[in-house]
Amino acid sequence: MKKFSFVLMFTLLVGMLAACGTAENGEEANTGTEDGAEKKTLVMGTSADYPPFEYIDSAKSNEIIGFDIDIANYIAEQLGYEIEIKDMDFSGLIPALSSERVDFVLSGMTPTEERKENVDFSQIYYAAHHMIVSKTDNKIETVDGLKGKKVGVQLGSIQEGKAKELKDEGLNIEIKQLNRIPELIQDLKAGRLDAVIIEDTVAKGFLENNDDIQGIVMPDTNEEGSAIAFPKGSELTEQFDQVVTEMKENGKMDELINKWFGDEAE
């Protein structure tokens, strides 16, 4: 009986110590959030070659920064999410959404009717125009000036669609698609392209840093806009859209626009 009682007491003591250890570990695991729950991590897809929307300033760090990154971080903070960013070619963003390898895309993407067949979009958060960029010693100053020229566009972009539209309307141009905007500018400067069509806000940075290129905004074109993309039926669409509305109302969106596109932009 004494031996049995000793074993029983020993077992109870071990159980109590284990319970205390579990409670202490649980308390430590819950530290850092008000309700003790881990923040859910959302995977964001982007193409980090599109300054000032998303890019890497390699002179400073390998971190992806930009207008869209600030928007994503603000929305995540308001909704209680963490963000993991995946950089990929722009043409791979819609397939990544459709296969649910990413939870959303923030990459200066225009919600075209074709894209809406495969993914859902938030409201427009920023609007811009198309720009024709050419070399200063071979200026192209009108859309008609593209006739007979080799024109570069980013693969999968709204500008690719615009170039194809111009060609379908009878403008004789040769279209070359590349994955990244810097590749387009490089080919333009090297003479492998006569012109490129990119968004005017994106072109601004390249024009400021390259004296040998110039650009004109394409006239008589409808204003295009950027929106956040989600897999079809995602519950995040409504959540993000509500925060975008709040950002427009409370001045946060204007603050970020001025930071990245206005006088404060570097």
Side-chain angles (χ1 to χ4, degrees):
M1 289 294 293
K2 288 182 179 180
K3 183 177 181 180
F4 176 78
S5 298
F6 177 80
V7 172
L8 179 61
M9 291 176 63
F10 180 80
T11 302
L12 290 172
L13 180 60
V14 171
M16 291 173 64
L17 290 172
C20 291
T22 301
E24 289 177 0
N25 291 337
E27 184 177 350
E28 290 177 3
N30 291 337
T31 300
T33 56
E34 293 181 1
D35 59 2
E38 293 283 341
K39 284 187 176 181
K40 180 180 178 181
T41 298
L42 299 178
V43 181
M44 167 182 158
T46 196
S47 182
D49 64 331
Y50 207 56
F53 287 86
E54 42 272 327
Y55 66 105
I56 298 171
D57 187 349
S58 57
K60 297 180 179 179
S61 74
N62 292 322
E63 181 185 6
I64 300 175
I65 60 174
F67 178 54
D68 284 343
I69 309 305
D70 281 1
I71 291 176
N73 287 331
Y74 181 86
I75 293 175
E77 181 180 356
Q78 298 304 304
L79 296 177
Y81 293 115
E82 298 284 353
I83 297 292
E84 174 189 344
I85 301 176
K86 283 192 175 182
D87 181 22
M88 60 188 72
D89 288 340
F90 190 83
S91 58
L93 292 173
I94 294 294
L97 275 174
S98 299
S99 61
E100 298 187 354
R101 287 181 284 122
V102 298
D103 295 299
F104 68 99
V105 162
L106 241 169
S107 195
M109 183 174 286
T110 301
T112 63
E113 293 304 316
E114 181 180 359
R115 289 172 180 160
K116 288 178 182 178
E117 294 177 1
N118 299 299
V119 299
D120 291 335
F121 283 97
S122 72
Q123 62 184 282
I124 297 291
Y125 64 85
Y126 184 77
H129 296 273
H130 300 307
M131 175 173 277
I132 299 171
V133 179
S134 59
K135 294 190 70 174
T136 53
D137 59 1
N138 187 26
K139 289 183 180 179
I140 297 175
E141 299 181 345
T142 65
V143 174
D144 287 340
L146 294 174
K147 184 177 180 180
K149 305 294 186 181
K150 183 180 290 186
V151 180
V153 291
Q154 185 178 36
L155 182 64
S157 69
I158 188 68
Q159 286 77 33
E160 179 185 16
K162 185 62 182 178
K164 290 179 178 178
E165 178 185 320
L166 291 173
K167 189 170 185 176
D168 291 342
E169 290 174 352
L171 190 63
N172 179 27
I173 59 175
E174 179 184 346
I175 302 172
K176 181 177 180 181
Q177 300 102 326
L178 294 174
N179 282 316
R180 300 274 177 169
I181 299 294
E183 294 174 4
L184 291 171
I185 299 298
Q186 182 178 348
D187 275 15
L188 174 66
K189 289 167 66 70
R192 292 186 289 269
L193 293 171
D194 299 305
V196 299
I197 302 177
I198 55 180
E199 193 168 310
D200 58 345
T201 49
V202 175
K204 177 182 176 183
F206 290 103
L207 295 175
E208 290 175 349
N209 294 311
N210 295 274
D211 293 336
D212 56 343
I213 61 175
Q214 60 91 44
I216 61 159
V217 174
M218 294 178 68
D220 302 321
T221 60
N222 294 326
E223 194 175 62
E224 304 290 354
S226 299
I228 310 169
F230 305 88
K232 279 289 187 182
S234 173
E235 63 182 15
L236 294 175
T237 308
E238 183 177 354
Q239 295 177 26
F240 274 53
D241 210 40
Q242 289 176 352
V243 181
V244 171
T245 297
E246 293 170 6
M247 293 176 74
K248 291 179 178 180
E249 293 175 349
N250 65 20
K252 184 63 179 181
M253 192 66 75
D254 286 338
E255 174 189 325
L256 294 180
I257 289 172
N258 188 52
K259 172 184 176 181
W260 291 103
F261 303 105
D263 294 335
E264 295 180 17
E266 296 181 358

